[in-house]
Amino acid sequence: CEDEDLEVDPLGPSEPVVGDEWTVWLRCNGTTLTGTMVLQVDPAEFASIEENVVTFLMAGTAEMTVTVGAYRATMDITVVNPE
């Protein structure tokens, strides 16, 4: 798998609000990568993480990094307050 083929695939609302959850997978050309996953959000207080489920705790922007084995991908996240 080449770096340009990696994608963070969040399952959840495409425009998340505070309190929403995403189940996150790392995929290569549509295939889910398996193994030990490390999921991080920067800043850390932006979300809580339980295995591969992210719960958004505040509004704003953050960067999520997903690592499985030697593969790593990042994505920017924007979360808004509920209306």
Side-chain angles (χ1 to χ4, degrees):
C1 187
E2 302 298 321
D3 286 346
E4 62 270 7
D5 297 325
L6 288 170
E7 112 180 90
V8 177
D9 185 11
L11 303 175
S14 60
E15 296 180 9
V17 299
V18 175
D20 280 348
E21 292 183 346
W22 277 359
T23 302
V24 179
W25 301 101
L26 185 60
R27 302 194 197 275
C28 179
N29 288 324
T31 300
T32 302
L33 300 177
T34 59
T36 302
M37 177 187 289
V38 177
L39 180 57
Q40 298 173 306
V41 176
D42 183 28
E45 63 273 5
F46 188 79
S48 66
I49 300 171
E50 182 72 32
E51 295 185 17
N52 68 326
V53 177
V54 176
T55 303
F56 300 108
L57 303 176
M58 61 183 3
T61 58
E63 181 178 78
M64 182 167 54
T65 303
V66 183
T67 306
V68 176
Y71 302 108
R72 175 181 293 178
T74 61
M75 74 177 294
D76 293 325
I77 306 166
T78 300
V79 175
V80 297
N81 283 311
E83 293 183 20

